Amino acid sequence: MDLTRVDEIIAKHHGEASSLIQILLEIQSENSWLPKEVMERISQELQVPLTRVHHISTFYKAFSLVPKGRHEVHICMGTACHVRGATRVLDAVQDLTGIKPGETDLELKFSLETVNCLGCCALGPVLEIDGKTYGKMTPVETKNVLQSYE
Amino acid sequence: MSEIRLTIDGREVKASDGMTLLEAAQAAGIHIPTICHHEKLEPFGGCRLCIVELEEKGWSRLVVSCVYPAENNLVVHTRSAKVDRIRKTILELLLAHAPDAFDLQDLAKEYGADKDRFEKEASFCIHCGLCVRYCAEVKKKNAVGFIDRGIRKEISFVPEIALKECWDCKECFPLCPTEALQAAYVLTRALAGHLLEKEPAQPKA
């Protein structure tokens, strides 16, 4: 990520240390992860110790310290989805992408994450890719869906 | 500065405004066990070992003495059966993480804590925060900090700062009750040694 863009975001928040989380969130949503240089820059500009930036960026699950894939796959592991076979959907996705929950593949195509409820239990098991919801998934269906992403 | 009068373990104790219960007790020569407390650092209230019982209007209530301000007419018990029981459990929980820590073993003996009560989960760090706070508050270097949260929380050195500052300081080493800190530092140095070689040699003054 371009450090001048980071400076812009910091300037937007008037370089205030109390805006640390807001700044991190904005960079996270633009860049999808927080590179080391970016955190060092923020620490410098806001006069916040780097250890605190690390503490906060590792504390909240909203932040990622590793690059994310182009497509974020969320598999619902909530109770309803679980009893309708979410584990089989998860297995299918793991087999097809070769990554486990929390990981990103080498081509930066998919990042896999399990979530606990997406709020549409009637559609379970539910798979969500980049915010688009796929309901009533089966392992075969899962394969078709994943193959439609580049 | 106004004077505060309170009773600790049946003794009339004087304290000044802004003192914590722990400080008031220490000033009166009454011993309360602590782990995360350090006189140079802000109260942290992390280890909960300095818990004491307050008696008010026939009720009793448990507070953590290192973060509880001394007030007038408080009646404090530092070694009631309830307090001892809680300290014993806290020690047993800490010992599950750091079974070989000398400070903890001494306290365990005093409170009859069984170090094998809970299944061992040797993370060694007991999150007292002494190193993190000492580095931030006294040395103002912030070479070491906490990362992650909950059961995955641990201390972590920032390699770039640690390689520059820590070798000649190491003042946090004797503070660590479990020696987890030393291990973390050695690990950081071992992993970040290549950063050290890249830096040009500093001319001797």
Side-chain angles (χ1 to χ4, degrees), chain B residues 23 35 37 40 75 80 83 95 102 111 119-120 140 148 151 155 158 163 170-171 179 187 191:
Chain B
E23 284 163 349
I35 290 177
H37 178 75
K40 284 188 191 163
V75 180
S80 68
V83 165
L95 281 163
F102 297 121
Y111 288 90
E119 199 184 326
K120 296 278 178 301
K140 305 207 185 314
D148 224 320
I151 56 167
I155 51 165
V158 179
L163 289 176
K170 291 185 186 156
E171 284 172 35
E179 294 170 24
L187 186 66
L191 291 174

Side-chain angles (χ1 to χ4, degrees), chain A residues 89 92-93 96 127 137-147:
Chain A
V89 175
V93 174
L96 290 164
L127 176 72
M137 294 310 290
T138 59
V140 179
E141 229 3 68
T142 308
K143 190 177 175 186
N144 295 337
V145 169
L146 283 183
Q147 277 170 350

Side-chain angles (χ1 to χ4, degrees), chain A residues 46-62:
Chain A
L46 300 188
Q47 309 262 310
V48 173
L50 189 57
T51 47
R52 190 169 307 153
V53 180
H54 284 165
H55 191 179
I56 288 170
S57 56
T58 52
F59 188 95
Y60 295 103
K61 266 197 118 178

Side-chain angles (χ1 to χ4, degrees), chain A residues 36 40 48-52 54-62 65, chain B residues 142-150 152-153 156-158 160-161 195:
Chain A
K36 188 179 162 195
E40 282 168 355
V48 173
L50 189 57
T51 47
R52 190 169 307 153
H54 284 165
H55 191 179
I56 288 170
S57 56
T58 52
F59 188 95
Y60 295 103
K61 266 197 118 178
L65 301 192
Chain B
N142 291 292
V144 62
F146 281 120
I147 53 164
D148 224 320
R149 61 172 166 178
R152 283 185 303 277
K153 186 177 181 180
S156 169
F157 282 91
V158 179
E160 288 83 356
I161 304 176
L195 295 173

